[in-house]
Amino acid sequence: MRFIGNKESLAPKIYKLLTKHKIIANANNQSFFDMFAGSTSVGRFFKKRGFQIYSCDMLYFSYCLQKAYIENNSIPAFQTLRNYIKFKDNANTCLFEKTSFCKVLEFLNNLEPMQGFIYQNYAPSGSKDLHIPRMYFSDKNAQKIDAIRTQIQLWREKQYINESEYFILLASLIESVSLYANVAGVYAAFCKKWDKRALKDLQLKHIELVQSDKVHFCFYGESRECLEGLQDSQSKIFDMLYLDPPYNSRQYAPNYHLLETIAKYDNPAIKGIAGLREWSEQKSKFCNAKTALAELEKIARYAKYKYLILSYNSEGIIQKESIDELLKPLGTLICEQIPYPRFKSNNKRAEKFVSEYVWILKR
Ligand SMILES: C[S@@+](CC[C@H](N)C(=O)[O-])C[C@H]1O[C@@H](n2cnc3c(N)ncnc32)[C@H](O)[C@@H]1O
């Protein structure tokens, strides 16, 4: 998924570093806590390599992705739902085997459109009475999102789908919506003209699930509080604590407000041209130069772990020297610099690559 700071292409490089420094000997039975999970790409990568994953984020839509990709270990059978719904046998959502998952996606793709919260607030016709009608989704796609989201909820309330199936369908919707939104990367603003992708007919994406024989755990909330809770109640010592906090003042919650609303579907009070929901509870201390280093220190100094792995951008609000100074006294420290593509630059002359620092601290 297109997400600020998505480490999909950095994860293999981190893994290589860990192998080079002989930190990964046998992933079996090693625990890996992805404390700022976002799109879940790092957790997924390490799950595939046999680690037991814990993951956390303060965004609810990230939690939905975590439940589907990290906690869930199997392909959904939709056993109960199949007793209630007649699926078409010619489902064409998937080019390969017509699994139950494909058939459910096909069913959802063909629902009657519905004029719900997303249509009324984020599509031009639904929000036509506003001074500037919102153009986040085409009228038709907004109605499809409402119909699909409402159906998923109804199935869950009637217990036609279990918890894993519920989150797998939500994750499919969240991933798909991103492909049709009329935005330039994030949701803080919509484009004033229609992007080609926003005019295509929304089709739910078949997401790739990761199977595993381990039990994995996902959390929604502030990651340090979550870590402290786990360490107090279970005296858990993590083999690897992976930290990928925000590195600048751009808060994630307002930038992804619409994914949050689709995931929660809670008819929030919204305001402004962009239709932002209230997000003051989701402010990250890592986005503030005054509090970021102190937050990092609380985790690095007081948490119990064997290795702490920290990703941080070379243009971040905490200086590299300050991080070195903080981590050095705590154990054996390695820091490597990896060239990394910029998320998006409107400045054509700006460099396309920045550096990502990776610190590995052995306690
Ligand atoms: C740089 S992104 C992580 C990207 C992720 N590694 C990926 O590959 O997609 C930072 C994430 O940290 C989350 N976040 C920020 N502060 C947090 C906090 N105090 N507790 C939990 N999550 C936080 C944000 O919501 C965002 O998803």
Side-chain angles (χ1 to χ4, degrees):
M1 123 175 302
R2 200 160 150 67
F3 186 72
I4 308 173
N6 186 339
K7 299 296 183 299
E8 193 173 354
S9 57
L10 192 74
K13 293 176 184 156
I14 294 177
Y15 187 81
K16 227 170 151 184
L17 270 184
L18 295 174
T19 315
K20 181 174 106 182
H21 292 290
K22 305 203 169 21
I23 291 163
I24 297 177
N26 176 10
N28 256 325
N29 300 325
Q30 283 202 304
S31 54
F32 184 100
F33 191 176
D34 184 8
M35 288 182 64
F36 300 84
S39 66
T40 75
S41 50
V42 177
R44 259 184 270 175
F45 181 91
F46 280 84
K47 179 181 175 187
K48 278 184 196 157
R49 275 143 195 91
F51 286 79
Q52 180 188 39
I53 309 298
Y54 285 68
S55 75
C56 180
D57 202 286
M58 53 169 33
L59 293 175
Y60 184 72
F61 86 84
S62 166
Y63 176 69
C64 296
L65 299 176
Q66 292 169 51
K67 291 287 278 188
Y69 289 122
I70 305 296
E71 201 172 293
N72 167 67
N73 279 335
S74 55
I75 306 295
F78 294 102
Q79 202 67 49
T80 308
L81 186 62
R82 279 175 10 200
N83 296 329
Y84 295 96
I85 306 292
K86 270 227 160 308
F87 295 123
K88 284 186 194 162
D89 270 337
N90 61 344
N92 57 12
T93 303
C94 307
L95 298 172
F96 43 95
E97 198 191 344
K98 305 280 188 292
T99 58
S100 296
F101 187 16
C102 292
K103 291 179 188 174
V104 174
L105 293 182
E106 185 77 359
F107 180 90
L108 291 170
N109 279 332
N110 288 305
L111 287 172
E112 273 299 302
M114 183 185 153
Q115 298 190 350
F117 190 82
I118 301 300
Y119 168 79
Q120 281 157 16
N121 294 290
Y122 299 102
S125 300
S127 64
K128 65 178 183 319
D129 294 337
L130 291 174
H131 175 52
I132 304 175
R134 298 193 187 105
M135 293 173 59
Y136 277 103
F137 297 110
S138 68
D139 287 344
K140 183 161 179 224
N141 284 343
Q143 291 181 51
K144 283 188 94 165
I145 294 169
D146 280 317
I148 292 168
R149 184 63 186 85
T150 302
Q151 183 66 83
I152 295 171
Q153 198 61 34
L154 205 68
W155 282 343
R156 182 66 190 132
E157 277 159 20
K158 289 184 168 172
Q159 304 206 351
Y160 290 180
I161 53 178
N162 62 30
E163 192 192 73
S164 294
E165 291 164 344
Y166 174 69
F167 282 111
I168 288 167
L169 292 179
L170 285 190
S172 304
L173 178 61
I174 292 161
E175 293 273 17
S176 309
V177 152
S178 310
L179 306 174
Y180 299 90
N182 192 36
V183 297
V186 295
Y187 295 78
F190 51 86
C191 301
K192 306 296 174 281
K193 289 194 174 139
W194 288 110
D195 187 287
K196 267 201 303 234
R197 105 180 79 88
L199 296 173
K200 289 188 189 148
D201 182 39
L202 184 142
Q203 295 291 309
L204 285 177
K205 181 178 160 180
H206 184 288
I207 58 171
E208 191 202 329
L209 299 166
V210 187
Q211 295 183 59
S212 143
D213 56 4
K214 311 264 176 348
V215 181
H216 308 277
F217 299 92
C218 302
F219 303 93
Y220 165 47
E222 208 285 319
S223 54
R224 183 169 54 82
E225 283 171 15
C226 169
L227 174 69
E228 286 170 359
L230 282 167
Q231 300 205 307
D232 286 349
S233 62
Q234 300 175 16
S235 314
K236 177 93 191 144
I237 300 175
F238 289 96
D239 292 305
M240 291 182 199
L241 217 54
Y242 175 65
L243 274 53
D244 182 21
Y247 66 88
N248 61 24
S249 56
R250 188 147 67 154
Q251 293 279 354
Y252 276 77
N255 278 299
Y256 290 96
H257 67 101
L258 205 36
L259 295 186
E260 224 30 18
T261 294
I262 291 170
K264 290 187 169 167
Y265 212 55
D266 54 353
N267 298 329
I270 58 172
K271 61 180 180 191
I273 295 178
L276 280 187
R277 58 185 293 130
E278 171 61 31
W279 60 276
S280 54
E281 296 289 310
Q282 288 171 301
K283 259 189 194 154
S284 174
K285 290 189 176 150
F286 284 94
C287 295
N288 180 326
K290 289 203 186 106
T291 48
L293 187 63
E295 276 307 294
L296 181 61
E297 177 166 13
K298 283 178 200 158
I299 299 174
R301 198 177 284 282
Y302 301 112
K304 297 183 199 92
Y305 53 85
K306 292 183 184 158
Y307 291 94
L308 179 141
I309 304 150
L310 167 67
S311 292
Y312 207 67
N313 192 285
S314 57
E315 296 179 344
I317 52 181
I318 314 179
Q319 297 301 306
K320 176 182 183 295
E321 295 66 35
S322 306
I323 299 181
D324 286 339
E325 216 171 280
L326 162 68
L327 299 182
K328 243 182 213 153
L330 301 179
T332 316
L333 189 65
I334 299 162
C335 177
E336 300 234 5
Q337 193 170 354
I338 302 174
Y340 197 66
R342 243 177 228 284
F343 173 68
K344 180 179 184 291
S345 171
N346 290 328
N347 179 355
K348 294 267 175 342
R349 279 177 307 175
E351 287 174 45
K352 291 218 174 75
F353 283 85
V354 283
S355 285
E356 190 75 23
Y357 291 117
V358 178
W359 282 267
I360 304 172
L361 170 69
K362 181 173 187 233
R363 261 305 222 180

